[in-house]
């Protein structure tokens, strides 16, 4: 008998037929003797539809009202799933994020969970009921206003509940059979990953892999919550994400997978004075404007001229703010030009095994060379190498690198049952 937290994404509860299928899966687990807590996302495209309706009414909606509106999608899902399970003869009780004891930091639209006291959830399961919790939301400690956790936040809700309840496993149900060595929409021969470390998963999630919310992986690693990513449309074993270094083995693959990301733009700051304090001022201005930064590359100053260039990749939604704040400080900083390129994408090669294999970078760059793909920027960590390339060659780059590192399966393994990959 185990305590299991299950999370079902929007494609898994997209309509009433899907809702009944999930209800049957939950009931089967409950009847097998496990204690089950379920976290649900909004049905299908509900969140996008709510955003569209709000946009029809106003161009400047108050953040508080938007969070209250967007939290409604998950509340609909939790109530319908509870109805379906109760109708089948098994007791189920639905809870909003607030009722489940999730407290947040007050940041509308992108709140962080700062505390979980799931007393009502624990009481419900002790009494033999299945607890159904609305994902993506919590209650601000200071104001008692509803906060949402950002896209993919239901993953974080599930992991936070699993940690606070001492669950044996947190199962993340999606519409593919786990994590794959690359996006199967780009690489049909991508292989399913049976086991991967949380460290590698963090790198993949941070650099474009969409299966898991980044903060959910961070939460799982911090509180040692075992994660099992699998499909709600099949009974296949998925991908286990382990959080303990003791579980790493010497036989671990050199490369675990490839992530790609089209959501960043490239900005080059030309003519930065190569003197102490100027880079600090640039990044202080960007931070003050709320600009997030992924990659930073600074050129070596040309001999004798005292100036250098700094290139950044930033989220496309932050590009306008970055250009505006830096343009306003051009004279102060002595910047000669700002060069903006939105037509780029990032490929990230991830694997804990690359720590002890120095030939990995050589093979990566040779694969890109053989495919005729130019590299704009390069960045790396201990277990990751990322390259920025032209957006229209990104898919070619992923396929070329996937093949170069022998990641292709002999036959197609990946099936996207629901069409969204979440």
């Amino acid at each position: 008998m185990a305590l299991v937290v299950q999370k079902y994404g929007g494609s898994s509860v997209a309509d009433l037929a899907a809702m009944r299928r999930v209800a049957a899966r939950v009931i089967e687990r409950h009847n097998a003797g496990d204690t089950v807590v379920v976290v649900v996302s909004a049905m299908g495209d509900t969140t996008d539809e709510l955003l569209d309706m709000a946009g029809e009414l106003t161009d400047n909606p108050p953040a508080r009202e938007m969070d209250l509106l967007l939290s409604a999608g998950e509340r609909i899902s939790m109530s319908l799933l509870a109805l379906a399970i109760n109708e089948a003869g098994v007791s189920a009780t639905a809870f909003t994020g607030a009722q489940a004891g999730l407290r947040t930091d007050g940041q509308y639209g992108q709140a962080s969970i700062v505390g979980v006291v799931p007393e009502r959830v624990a009481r419900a399961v002790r009494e033999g009921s299945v607890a159904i919790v609305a994902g993506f939301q919590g209650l601000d400690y200071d104001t008692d206003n509803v906060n949402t956790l950002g896209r993919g936040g239901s993953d974080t809700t599930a992991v936070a509940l699993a940690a606070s309840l001492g669950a044996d496993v947190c199962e993340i149900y999606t519409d593919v059979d786990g994590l794959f060595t690359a996006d199967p929409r780009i690489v049909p021969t991508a292989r399913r990953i049976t086991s991967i470390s949380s460290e590698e998963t963090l790198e993949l999630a941070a650099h474009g892999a969409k299966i898991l919310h980044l903060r959910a992986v961070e939460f799982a690693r911090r509180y040692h919550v075992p994660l099992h990513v699998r499909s709600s449309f099949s009974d296949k074993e998925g991908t286990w994400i382990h959080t303990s270094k003791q579980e790493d083995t010497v036989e671990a693959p050199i490369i675990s997978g490839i992530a790609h990301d089209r959501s960043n733009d490239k900005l080059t700051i030309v003519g930065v004075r190569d003197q102490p304090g100027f880079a600090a001022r640039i990044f202080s201005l960007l931070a003050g404007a709320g600009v997030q930064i992924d990659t930073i590359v600074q050129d070596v100053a040309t001999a004798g001229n005292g100036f250098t260039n700094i290139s950044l990749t930033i989220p496309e939604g932050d590009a306008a703010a970055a250009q505006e704040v830096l343009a306003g400080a051009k004279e102060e900083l002595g910047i000669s030009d700002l060069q903006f390129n939105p037509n780029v994408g990032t490929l990230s090669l991830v694997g804990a095994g690359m720590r002890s294999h120095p030939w990995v970078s050589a093979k990566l760059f040779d694969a890109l060379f053989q495919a005729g793909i130019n590299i704009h920027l390069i960045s790396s960590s201990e277990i990751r190498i990322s390259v920025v390339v032209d957006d229209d060659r990104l898919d070619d780059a992923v396929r070329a690198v996937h093949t170069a590192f022998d990641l292709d399966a002999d036959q197609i393994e990946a099936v996207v049952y629901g069409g969204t990959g979440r």
Side-chain angles (χ1 to χ4, degrees):
M1 180 176 178
L3 172 56
V4 179
V5 175
Q6 299 182 334
K7 177 264 177 177
Y8 292 91
S11 58
S12 297
V13 292
D15 52 33
L16 293 182
M19 198 74 72
R20 291 189 182 98
R21 184 174 59 248
V22 168
R25 184 183 286 269
V26 172
I27 290 168
E28 181 181 18
R29 198 64 171 270
H30 173 81
N31 289 344
D34 289 336
T35 300
V36 185
V37 176
V38 179
V39 174
V40 287
S41 297
M43 298 172 66
D45 297 324
T46 298
T47 301
D48 289 332
E49 292 167 359
L50 292 171
L51 285 167
D52 289 342
M53 284 190 282
E56 290 290 323
L57 295 172
T58 175
D59 293 328
N60 188 28
R64 177 188 180 278
E65 313 312 321
M66 284 303 296
D67 269 19
L68 194 59
L69 171 67
L70 296 181
S71 69
E74 281 70 20
R75 297 182 186 209
I76 292 170
S77 292
M78 75 176 192
S79 301
L80 289 174
L81 183 58
L83 290 174
I85 293 173
N86 276 297
E87 178 64 18
V90 173
S91 173
T93 308
F95 300 97
T96 67
Q99 291 170 335
L102 283 99
R103 305 307 294 260
T104 51
D105 63 0
Q107 184 177 350
Y108 293 115
Q110 200 67 241
S112 295
I113 296 172
V114 296
V116 186
V117 185
E119 293 178 356
R120 297 179 67 178
V121 173
R123 188 184 316 127
V125 296
R126 277 199 307 270
E127 294 171 355
S129 185
V130 173
I132 315 291
V133 179
F136 178 64
Q137 61 191 261
L139 202 67
D140 177 11
Y141 251 126
D142 297 323
T143 66
D144 279 348
N145 286 324
V146 171
N147 289 159
T148 60
L149 308 180
R151 289 284 188 169
S154 293
D155 291 350
T156 307
T157 301
V159 176
L161 280 170
S164 62
L165 291 167
D168 296 282
V169 64
C170 180
E171 299 177 338
I172 305 293
Y173 284 91
T174 178
D175 59 9
V176 290
D177 292 316
L179 298 178
F180 284 79
T181 50
D183 187 335
R185 297 163 188 79
I186 293 177
V187 186
T189 54
R191 290 203 303 255
R192 182 176 56 84
I193 303 168
T194 58
S195 178
I196 189 172
S197 71
S198 57
E199 183 184 22
E200 292 167 298
T201 308
L202 276 172
E203 291 281 15
L204 289 169
H207 293 89
K210 305 299 184 185
I211 295 298
L212 273 172
H213 197 226
L214 177 62
R215 283 187 290 164
V217 183
E218 292 172 336
F219 218 111
R221 183 170 69 165
R222 185 179 311 135
Y223 295 102
H224 305 289
V225 177
L227 295 177
H228 187 194
V229 181
R230 57 192 309 193
S231 174
S232 64
F233 296 83
S234 79
D235 293 322
K236 294 179 181 178
E237 185 86 355
T239 301
W240 284 91
I241 299 170
H242 55 83
T243 61
S244 171
K245 289 186 179 297
Q246 282 72 25
E247 295 184 53
D248 294 339
T249 71
V250 294
E251 298 299 326
I254 296 167
I255 301 302
S256 292
I258 299 168
H260 72 281
D261 190 357
R262 286 189 165 86
S263 66
N264 286 336
D265 298 331
K266 178 188 171 189
L267 179 64
T268 300
I269 308 164
V270 181
V272 179
R273 291 174 188 162
D274 190 27
Q275 299 172 14
F278 282 90
R281 178 60 177 152
I282 287 171
F283 290 104
S284 292
L285 288 168
L286 292 172
V291 175
Q292 298 183 47
I293 298 170
D294 181 23
T295 302
I296 304 171
V297 176
Q298 180 172 328
D299 295 340
V300 176
T302 304
N305 76 354
F307 291 90
T308 187
N309 300 336
I310 297 176
S311 293
L312 318 169
T313 56
I314 56 179
E316 55 191 1
D318 290 351
Q323 292 180 85
E324 181 180 356
V325 72
L326 292 175
K330 282 181 73 172
E331 186 173 341
E332 172 196 346
L333 298 170
I335 297 171
S336 60
D337 193 19
L338 293 172
Q339 297 176 355
F340 176 65
N341 183 0
N343 301 313
V344 297
T346 303
L347 177 153
S348 296
L349 188 68
V350 175
M354 71 171 63
R355 289 186 178 103
S356 55
H357 291 82
W359 52 263
V360 169
S361 55
K363 179 174 279 195
L364 167 63
F365 298 134
D366 183 66
L368 295 173
F369 164 68
Q370 296 297 333
I373 295 169
N374 188 47
I375 299 171
H376 292 266
L377 299 173
I378 304 167
S379 66
S380 66
S381 72
E382 191 180 17
I383 65 168
R384 171 189 55 82
I385 305 173
S386 295
V387 293
V388 177
V389 302
D390 291 329
D391 180 69
D392 61 2
R393 298 302 313 278
L394 182 58
D395 290 1
D396 295 333
V398 172
R399 286 188 284 265
V401 173
H402 197 269
T403 298
F405 282 90
D406 299 320
L407 296 175
D408 294 328
D410 294 331
Q411 59 186 11
I412 294 177
E413 296 182 2
V415 178
V416 182
Y417 300 95
T420 65
R422 282 201 64 82

